[in-house]
């Protein structure tokens, strides 16, 4: 889509003033805790595929994609058709957790999406519509099933914004103002090659992480009781797009299995095709005890699930209730989405386009020293922006620069690309485009991104100060 087209109706003064009215209304009435609108001051009126158009007619490429929710992009015809079919059929839209034909089909589709060895031996808990509610449920399930109270999580983890999910998340900024989060949570070193907690990276960093975890679990004086569960993301999303190495996850799985500790994979963001496999843990060839799914599993509509091994099903009726656990439209949209992802060659397309995106970003890195690291898996790609004049870390890497990353984000936005930040210092540009993105669209994204990075690099080179 050309820039001219994007801005074709921007001259319409009525639309512009209406657009400002919408934004003013948001600023006037919505809570101080609102987040995305501060970076992306737009009112979205229309959306299709990877594009969104605001109320004044300007079109943007959406690489935020509902924070990874929109596997098939906006308003995919198959999702719309599935939703319309339910709406026309006279089926209830809301069923609590009662059965409906749409739910039965969705359950079959979910089971069919699981790796061999799991589908015959699982139970499914339908949760409230957010990923956080499913993580809450999973923690309660693990505690109930094991009779233990300790939870182990990882540096850089993100599992949600409720009390228990914040407690198992790493980012201290939203945690610190809230007293009395769930107690008895301990954090383990995640194998982050570029910002290795041991300052070494690579296979040595992975080995040290596994040795340390083993020590925590086995040392009678580690101070940490046997845990109810170990929760992690196979690719940390909000933590800064950090894929864990397959071999490391495989070893972690063996450690927990040998000690009968439930391994809980939070697939809310990395699951449902995002990394080129249906679930991100599949790359490591493991079978977790508990899988947490949300975002794309509802086809863009609110839905979350916990899928877990039957032997853990020891909680009592009503142990995790909630009103909105029977979103029939989300089940229909989710079924359509899962079927689409399972089409021949589609997950390979995700892998290919992910490599394509990584390749473009790595090429750009050669010319821009404000790009410190490019990493990711499938269509979950992160570019860490650094300050080359800042003090280097234990591994000799320049410090993450939230200031420069914010400038790149703004420069992208000005050119019509919506992309979110995350990770330490909010310095990682996080690409989460719809999985249906084409090679040509990836090129379009990368052209805008390159222009934005170059603009910020030129400005940076002119200044002589540190941009932390
Ligand atoms: C890995 C992970 N877990 C849990 C959540 C929480 O999901 P929700 O925002 O729907 O509560 C998120 C949200 O981004 C996530 O990325």
């Amino acid at each position: 889509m050309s820039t001219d087209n994007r801005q074709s109706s921007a001259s319409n003064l009525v639309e512009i003033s209406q657009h400002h009215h919408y934004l003013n209304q948001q600023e006037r009435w919505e809570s101080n805790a609102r987040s995305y609108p501060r970076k992306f001051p737009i009112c979205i009126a229309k959306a299709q595929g990877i594009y969104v158009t605001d109320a004044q007619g300007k079109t943007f490429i959406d690489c935020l994609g509902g924070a990874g929710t929109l596997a098939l992009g906006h308003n995919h015809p198959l999702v719309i058709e599935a939703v319309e079919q339910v709406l026309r059929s006279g089926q209830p839209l809301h069923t609590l957790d009662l059965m409906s034909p749409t739910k039965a089909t969705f359950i079959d589709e979910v089971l069919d999406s699981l790796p061999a060895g799991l589908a015959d031996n699982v139970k499914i808990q339908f949760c409230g519509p957010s990923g956080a509610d499913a993580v809450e449920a999973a923690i309660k399930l693990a505690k109930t099933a094991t009779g233990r109270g300790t939870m182990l999580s990882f540096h850089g983890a993100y599992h949600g914004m409720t009390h228990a999910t914040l407690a198992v998340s790493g980012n201290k900024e939203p945690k610190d103002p809230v007293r009395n989060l769930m107690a008895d949570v301990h954090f383990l070193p995640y194998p982050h090659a570029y910002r290795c907690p041991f300052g070494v990276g690579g296979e040595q960093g992975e080995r040290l992480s596994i040795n340390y975890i083993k020590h925590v679990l086995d040392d009678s004086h580690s101070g940490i009781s046997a845990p109810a569960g170990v929760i992690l993301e196979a690719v940390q999303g909000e933590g800064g797009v950090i894929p864990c190495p397959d071999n490391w996850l495989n070893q972690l799985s063996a450690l927990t299995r040998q000690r009968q500790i439930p391994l809980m994979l939070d697939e809310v963001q990395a699951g449902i095709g995002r990394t080129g496999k249906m679930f991100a843990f599949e790359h490591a060839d493991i079978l977790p005890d508990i899988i947490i799914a949300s975002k794309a599993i509802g086809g863009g509509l609110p839905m979350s699930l916990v899928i877990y091994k039957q032997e853990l099903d020891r909680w009592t009726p009503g142990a995790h209730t909630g009103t909105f656990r029977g979103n029939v439209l989300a089940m229909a949209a989710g079924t359509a989405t899962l079927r689409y992802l399972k089409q021949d060659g589609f997950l390979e397309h995700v892998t290919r386009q992910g490599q394509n995106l990584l390749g473009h970003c790595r090429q750009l890195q050669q010319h821009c020293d404000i790009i410190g690291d490019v990493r990711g898996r499938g269509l979950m790609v992160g570019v860490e922006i650094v300050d080359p004049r800042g003090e280097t870390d234990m591994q000799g890497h320049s410090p993450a620069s939230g200031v420069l990353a914010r400038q790149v984000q703004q420069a992208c936005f000005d050119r019509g690309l919506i992309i979110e930040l995350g990770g330490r210092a909010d310095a990682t540009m996080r690409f989460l485009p719809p999985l249906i993105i084409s090679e040509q669209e990836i090129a379009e994204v990368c052209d805008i991104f390159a222009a934005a990075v170059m603009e910020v690099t030129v400005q940076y080179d002119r200044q002589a100060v540190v941009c932390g």
Side-chain angles (χ1 to χ4, degrees):
M1 190 174 288
S2 75
T3 311
D4 287 352
N5 274 347
R6 278 192 210 132
Q7 291 171 337
S8 61
S9 56
S11 58
N12 183 325
L13 290 177
V14 177
E15 283 177 346
I16 291 172
S17 79
Q18 192 62 17
H19 191 251
H20 286 143
H21 163 69
Y22 294 139
L23 297 183
N24 290 341
Q25 196 184 34
Q26 178 167 49
E27 182 151 343
R28 168 72 182 83
W29 294 109
E30 278 193 34
S31 135
N32 200 39
R34 70 190 185 283
S35 64
Y36 296 115
R38 296 178 193 280
K39 295 169 182 170
F40 311 119
I42 49 169
C43 169
I44 299 175
K46 283 193 177 153
Q48 188 63 54
I50 67 161
Y51 298 102
V52 296
T53 304
D54 74 10
Q56 57 184 345
K58 181 169 180 188
T59 296
F60 297 81
I61 299 178
D62 185 5
C63 268
L64 173 56
T69 301
L70 297 164
L72 304 192
H74 291 276
N75 292 325
H76 192 281
L78 290 176
V79 172
I80 298 290
E81 190 188 314
V83 169
E84 280 180 352
Q85 215 172 0
V86 173
L87 290 174
R88 282 194 300 264
S89 70
Q91 287 184 61
L93 297 183
H94 177 270
T95 62
L96 296 165
D97 61 351
L98 300 172
M99 199 51 172
S100 72
T102 302
K103 186 176 195 174
T105 310
F106 178 66
I107 290 175
D108 283 342
E109 209 57 52
V110 170
L111 293 176
D112 184 57
S113 307
L114 296 172
L118 264 189
D120 292 344
N121 179 36
V122 293
K123 289 279 194 165
I124 300 176
Q125 167 72 20
F126 282 81
C127 298
S130 71
D133 192 60
V135 176
E136 290 275 350
I139 293 171
K140 285 163 61 182
L141 172 72
K143 287 187 173 188
T144 308
T146 59
R148 304 178 194 146
T150 301
M151 282 295 304
L152 297 184
S153 183
F154 284 88
H155 301 165
Y158 181 79
H159 299 291
M161 281 282 160
T162 57
H163 264 63
T165 58
L166 257 188
V168 289
S169 295
N171 186 0
K172 288 183 271 188
E173 197 178 319
K175 295 175 77 155
D176 283 348
V178 185
R179 298 284 153 226
N180 299 333
L181 294 175
M182 183 177 75
D184 208 1
V185 178
H186 306 274
F187 288 85
L188 303 168
Y190 196 79
H192 187 350
Y194 186 67
R195 301 279 182 201
C196 176
F198 303 102
V200 292
E203 284 179 13
Q204 203 189 345
E206 291 167 37
R207 205 166 37 249
L208 289 172
S209 163
I210 284 293
N211 288 349
Y212 180 83
I213 296 167
K214 188 167 183 300
H215 177 78
V216 162
L217 296 176
D218 293 346
D219 178 16
S220 60
H221 283 49
S222 72
I224 299 174
S225 304
V230 174
I231 186 166
L232 80 158
E233 303 146 86
V235 183
Q236 290 188 337
E238 309 294 313
V241 194
I242 309 159
C244 72
D246 297 339
N247 186 40
W248 176 89
L249 184 52
N250 204 288
Q251 289 183 61
L252 177 69
S253 169
L255 282 184
T256 53
R257 193 174 56 249
Q258 286 151 8
R259 290 157 185 78
Q260 287 160 4
I261 300 164
L263 185 63
M264 307 163 66
L265 263 293
D266 181 340
E267 293 273 334
V268 168
Q269 191 168 131
I272 320 304
R274 173 64 51 192
T275 67
K277 297 262 187 200
M278 188 57 85
F279 294 98
F281 65 76
E282 289 179 70
H283 293 282
D285 203 16
I286 61 161
L287 295 181
D289 301 287
I290 299 177
I291 301 166
I292 301 150
S294 184
K295 293 198 194 277
I297 203 158
L301 297 179
M303 153 83 67
S304 82
L305 301 176
V306 184
I307 304 159
Y308 56 94
K309 288 189 179 159
Q310 283 188 13
E311 56 263 34
L312 296 173
D313 198 26
R314 285 185 232 136
W315 48 5
T316 50
H320 193 77
T321 57
T323 305
F324 289 109
R325 293 183 300 127
N327 185 343
V328 178
L329 291 180
M331 291 172 197
T335 299
T337 301
L338 290 173
R339 284 183 182 159
Y340 193 93
L341 298 187
K342 284 181 228 166
Q343 285 178 65
D344 263 0
F346 187 74
L347 292 177
E348 288 75 12
H349 158 87
V350 174
T351 304
R352 217 169 31 252
Q353 294 317 323
Q355 279 162 358
N356 190 6
L357 178 54
L358 275 173
H360 277 286
C361 293
R362 288 198 172 126
Q363 223 170 356
L364 183 62
Q365 185 183 18
Q366 311 289 314
H367 309 286
C368 299
D369 55 2
I370 66 164
I371 296 184
D373 192 30
V374 175
R375 52 185 182 252
R377 193 151 217 178
L379 283 167
M380 197 170 175
V381 168
V383 174
E384 185 167 327
I385 304 295
V386 297
D387 179 353
R389 287 195 283 265
E391 196 179 323
T392 54
D393 68 9
M394 297 185 278
Q395 288 171 276
H397 296 141
S398 299
S401 174
V403 172
L404 293 175
R406 180 72 190 98
Q407 289 172 15
V408 175
Q409 183 184 44
Q410 183 63 48
C412 287
F413 185 68
D414 294 343
R415 290 170 168 78
L417 173 64
I418 296 176
I419 176 167
E420 182 50 320
L421 304 175
R424 276 66 168 193
D426 242 2
T428 300
M429 317 290 309
R430 296 167 52 218
F431 292 85
L432 283 171
L435 306 183
I436 43 109
I437 194 166
S438 67
E439 188 166 343
Q440 197 190 333
E441 288 166 337
I442 294 266
E444 198 179 348
V445 166
C446 292
D447 282 351
I448 297 177
F449 184 60
V453 172
M454 292 311 285
E455 179 189 308
V456 173
T457 303
V458 169
Q459 280 165 17
Y460 174 82
D461 287 345
R462 282 201 201 115
Q463 300 160 358
V465 292
V466 172
C467 296

